Amino acid sequence: MISRLSALFAAVACAATLAVSPLAAQAQDAASAAASGAEMTAAPAADTAAPAVAPEAAAPAPHTEKVDNPYSLGNIVAHGNIVDQIVLAILFIMSLGSWYILFTKLWDTSKIAREAKEVRATFFKKASLAEGIKGLSETGAFRYIAQTGVEASDHHEGALTENIDHNTWVTMNIDRAVGEVNSRLQGGLGFLATVGSTSPFIGLFGTVWGILQALTQIGVAGQASIDKVAGPVGAALIMTAIGLGVAVPAVLGYNWLVNRNKSVMGQVRAFAADLHGVLMGSRKVAGR
């Protein structure tokens, strides 16, 4: 039974192979004929196209040279007129000063914020004001205020100050110290405000001057085509873009620093008020 089935499968396979072989051979012959025809038709075309291709192959490749843009920012810096260079120098100085102030004031406010956190945690837990002052940074704002208040409380004498009561005298000195700290933090903000308000107009002046020079040159040359107008005018507009690029960081930095200074000075004034209360309390205890 198994041999019969095997023979059946073998017969089917052979039949299938014999049935498929002619079809495959016919398809192969057709493909060969088609390929031969294509070669025969392509040969004359190649022969006729050869003369046309030969001159193109023999033609030299086009030589491309890199042309510098005469209206780029680098060209304005290197070869611009004296007014353009002065405007760029002013804007550069303004930008440099703005970023310097931003970084330094950010460092100052961060330092005072860290000191304020340490003061709240440790200063008023000391056994005495002297020990508390020793634990503060020697160059910090809080140590300066504390030393000023202690010195004012300990040295309330003299013919000119005897008419001022002790409370008012200490308050005046502490407020003066807080005002000096605030003045140091506010230093430089006026420069940022000036840069933010004037640099766009300085850049606009450079743009107006550049357009005036460009139109003058176009009028002298007598050519008013688009390529003669677009380049110089586009180069002049670079000044306005630079002016805005200088002004925007200055304005944002000014507003940001003002808000940071308000937050930091709130902590400084809170420390000054607590210090004043401690000094007045120690004065009353000492007087008893």
Side-chain angles (χ1 to χ4, degrees), residues 228-280:
K228 301 296 182 181
V229 177
V233 172
L237 291 175
I238 294 177
M239 296 294 184
T240 300
I242 295 174
L244 293 175
V246 173
V248 171
V251 173
L252 295 178
Y254 174 83
N255 294 328
W256 184 40
L257 289 177
V258 167
N259 292 329
R260 284 181 64 89
N261 288 349
K262 288 181 180 179
S263 176
V264 169
M265 287 307 302
Q267 298 176 356
V268 171
R269 292 189 178 93
F271 169 77
D274 294 339
L275 177 66
H276 180 269
V278 171
L279 290 173
M280 294 300 100

Side-chain angles (χ1 to χ4, degrees), residues 6-286:
S6 299
L8 179 61
F9 286 125
V12 171
C14 290
T17 303
L18 293 176
V20 172
S21 295
L23 296 176
Q26 186 178 0
Q28 186 176 1
D29 293 338
S32 299
S36 300
E39 290 178 355
M40 294 177 61
T41 55
D47 295 336
T48 56
V53 174
E56 294 181 0
H63 181 66
T64 59
E65 295 181 356
K66 183 179 180 181
V67 180
D68 294 334
N69 183 8
Y71 308 113
S72 62
L73 179 60
N75 190 74
I76 294 175
V77 174
H79 306 291
N81 57 60
I82 187 64
V83 176
D84 293 337
Q85 293 177 349
I86 290 176
V87 170
L88 287 175
I90 293 174
L91 292 176
F92 175 76
I93 294 173
M94 284 184 168
S95 179
L96 186 64
S98 299
W99 286 108
Y100 174 78
I101 292 172
L102 284 172
F103 285 119
T104 54
K105 294 305 173 183
L106 176 62
W107 171 260
D108 291 339
T109 53
S110 299
K111 180 181 178 182
I112 294 179
R114 290 193 302 268
E115 291 179 357
K117 185 177 180 179
E118 295 176 0
V119 165
R120 289 195 303 268
T122 61
F123 182 81
F124 294 104
K125 296 180 181 179
K126 299 293 184 180
S128 64
L129 287 175
E131 293 182 3
I133 293 174
K134 290 181 181 179
L136 298 177
S137 174
E138 294 182 358
T139 59
F142 292 94
R143 182 161 185 167
Y144 173 70
I145 295 172
Q147 286 181 339
T148 302
V150 172
E151 291 176 0
S153 180
D154 294 340
H155 301 284
H156 180 234
E157 68 271 350
L160 296 178
T161 59
E162 63 182 4
N163 295 326
I164 304 175
D165 63 279
H166 182 262
N167 185 7
T168 303
W169 175 251
V170 173
T171 302
M172 290 170 54
N173 281 271
I174 292 178
D175 289 343
R176 189 179 298 115
V178 171
E180 292 179 3
V181 172
N182 187 29
S183 297
R184 289 199 295 266
L185 286 179
Q186 297 292 332
L189 294 184
F191 181 82
L192 290 179
T194 302
V195 171
S197 60
T198 60
S199 58
F201 297 102
I202 295 175
L204 183 61
F205 170 77
T207 296
V208 172
W209 181 264
I211 292 176
L212 176 62
Q213 297 298 314
L215 293 179
T216 301
Q217 295 176 1
I218 292 170
V220 172
Q223 297 178 353
S225 58
I226 187 64
D227 58 336
K228 301 296 182 181
V229 177
V233 172
L237 291 175
I238 294 177
M239 296 294 184
T240 300
I242 295 174
L244 293 175
V246 173
V248 171
V251 173
L252 295 178
Y254 174 83
N255 294 328
W256 184 40
L257 289 177
V258 167
N259 292 329
R260 284 181 64 89
N261 288 349
K262 288 181 180 179
S263 176
V264 169
M265 287 307 302
Q267 298 176 356
V268 171
R269 292 189 178 93
F271 169 77
D274 294 339
L275 177 66
H276 180 269
V278 171
L279 290 173
M280 294 300 100
S282 61
R283 178 76 175 183
K284 292 178 181 179
V285 171

